[in-house]
């Protein structure tokens, strides 16, 4: 009788331990993969929209392979090859970086704004101080970049005090579209009256694949569908900043409102 009782108790305890272990395993949804990550059990390559458990054995085919993943409960993480100092390969994602509102007033504002990787979503309109940077026939911004070994200078449109970067206009030469691509560009301010070209900054505008980007952003929005709009926006912005480049808030909001 005692032996049977102890056997039964052992089975119950074992079941409870297994259940508890399963409860500690989290599920994550894949937003984006850079490089190549393989599920060891199936040999399948990880891709956007996949759902996997935190204890799934993975193979990182390259040292720089990483993925953006999200959990409804725990939030957004970056999946990276495990290091010697960390047993887990789930690293908390970079939080959203707040940006100033209102017009950019001086040259330092412009330099800080147009620096590093800068995400442009179709068309952005950026308020600029009319006092310091008037925009008219003789005063305007232009961008210079290299295409097929040739220097291209593109005058930027404006709407009142708003500086406009339009992806389609930027990549049209002699009325012929050349297709957008990512490369370093330099922003200038032109005073045609004095023939002065003032260099503002060199930066790297990022023009994404919109079909892929829409799928990635929808993963975040769907996982956070019960969150308020501010939380959704901040998570999307934080993800884009980390995996693409910093976006301009109004440009991002306009683009999000247009996606399916």
């Amino acid at each position: 009788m005692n032996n049977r009782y102890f056997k039964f108790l052992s089975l119950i305890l074992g079941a409870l331990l297994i259940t508890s272990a399963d409860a500690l395993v989290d599920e994550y949804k894949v937003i984006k993969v850079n490089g190549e990550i393989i599920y060891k059990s199936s040999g399948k390559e990880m891709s956007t929209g996949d759902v996997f458990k935190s204890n799934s054995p993975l193979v990182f085919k390259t040292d720089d392979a990483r993925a953006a993943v999200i959990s409804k409960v725990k939030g957004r993480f970056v999946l990276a090859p495990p290091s010697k100092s960390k047993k887990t390969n789930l690293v908390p994602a970079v939080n959203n970086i707040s940006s100033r509102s209102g017009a950019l007033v001086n040259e330092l504002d412009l330099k800080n704004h147009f620096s590093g990787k800068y995400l442009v979503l179709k068309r952005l309109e950026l308020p600029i101080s009319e006092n310091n940077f008037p925009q008219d026939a003789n005063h305007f911004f232009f961008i210079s970049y290299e295409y097929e070994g040739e220097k291209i200078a593109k005058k930027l449109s404006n709407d009142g005090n708003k500086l406009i970067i339009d992806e389609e206009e930027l990549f049209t030469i002699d009325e012929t579209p050349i297709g957008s691509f990512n490369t370093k560009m330099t922003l200038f301010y032109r005073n045609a009256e004095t023939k002065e070209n003032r260099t503002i900054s060199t930066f790297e505008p990022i023009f994404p694949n919109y079909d892929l980007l829409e799928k990635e952003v929808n993963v975040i929005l769907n996982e956070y569908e019960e969150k308020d709009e501010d939380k959704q926006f901040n998570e999307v912005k934080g993800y884009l900043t980390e995996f693409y480049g910093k976006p301009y808030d109004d440009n991002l909001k306009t683009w999000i409102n247009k996606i399916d």
Side-chain angles (χ1 to χ4, degrees):
M1 184 73 175
N2 286 339
N3 286 338
R4 287 182 180 179
Y5 173 77
F6 283 120
K7 281 184 178 180
F8 176 74
L9 185 61
S10 297
L11 288 172
I12 294 295
L13 288 172
L16 287 173
L17 286 171
I18 292 171
T19 302
S20 299
D22 287 342
L24 293 173
V25 176
D26 301 310
E27 279 194 346
Y28 292 88
K29 198 164 194 177
V30 178
I31 304 169
K32 177 184 178 66
V33 181
N34 284 347
E36 189 177 0
I37 303 173
I38 304 294
Y39 298 107
K40 198 169 184 178
S41 57
S42 66
K44 178 178 173 287
E45 187 174 341
M46 180 179 284
S47 61
T48 299
D50 286 357
V51 176
F52 70 97
K53 294 184 182 295
S54 58
N55 63 348
S56 299
L58 302 170
V59 178
F60 293 82
K61 299 296 284 185
T62 56
D63 291 339
D64 59 350
R66 62 180 184 145
V69 301
I70 192 168
S71 159
K72 285 184 178 180
V73 177
K74 293 199 169 183
R76 194 166 47 84
F77 289 80
V78 174
L79 183 69
S83 64
K84 292 179 181 178
S85 60
K86 295 180 180 178
K87 292 183 180 179
T88 179
N89 50 10
L90 283 166
V91 181
V94 173
N95 292 328
N96 178 30
I97 301 170
S98 61
S99 58
R100 59 177 294 167
S101 58
L104 300 181
V105 176
N106 53 44
E107 190 168 324
L108 181 60
D109 288 341
L110 283 169
K111 286 181 183 292
N112 290 335
H113 189 84
F114 291 106
S115 63
K117 291 188 175 182
Y118 184 85
L119 182 62
V120 179
L121 297 164
K122 300 286 189 182
R123 174 187 172 96
L124 70 84
E125 300 182 4
L126 186 68
I128 304 288
S129 167
E130 290 182 277
N131 292 329
N132 291 333
F133 295 98
Q135 297 182 76
D136 52 41
N138 292 318
H139 304 85
F140 53 86
F141 290 93
F142 70 93
I143 276 181
S144 172
Y145 64 91
E146 195 168 293
Y147 174 68
E148 294 186 346
E150 182 182 352
K151 282 281 187 182
I152 306 297
K154 293 292 297 185
K155 179 182 177 181
L156 299 179
S157 301
N158 72 288
D159 181 4
N161 73 319
K162 289 183 177 179
L163 165 65
I164 296 172
I165 297 181
D166 184 287
E167 183 176 351
E168 187 174 336
E169 287 181 1
L170 192 60
F171 291 103
T172 298
I173 301 175
D174 297 330
E175 300 184 357
T176 302
I178 61 171
S180 57
F181 59 94
N182 297 329
T183 185
K184 287 188 176 180
M185 299 186 179
T186 301
L187 177 68
F188 296 88
Y189 181 70
R190 169 75 172 173
N191 184 336
E193 294 172 347
T194 63
K195 299 182 179 180
E196 177 194 9
N197 293 332
R198 193 191 318 176
T199 304
I200 303 299
S201 66
T202 297
F203 67 111
E204 187 176 354
I206 301 298
F207 304 94
N209 178 314
Y210 292 102
D211 291 336
L212 294 179
L213 189 66
E214 187 171 327
K215 286 175 62 178
E216 294 161 10
V217 168
N218 273 327
V219 169
I220 299 173
L221 297 178
N222 291 337
E223 289 298 293
Y224 279 2
E225 61 184 351
E226 296 177 0
K227 306 288 185 181
D228 60 44
E229 287 187 6
D230 285 345
K231 176 65 175 174
Q232 292 178 353
F233 177 81
N234 286 333
E235 284 299 326
V236 169
K237 183 179 176 182
Y239 161 67
L240 295 178
T241 300
E242 190 168 11
F243 273 77
Y244 286 90
K246 60 184 178 184
Y248 175 55
D249 282 11
D250 288 353
N251 184 215
L252 177 55
K253 287 173 183 175
T254 299
W255 180 78
I256 287 177
N257 289 334
K258 290 179 179 179
I259 68 174
D260 296 330

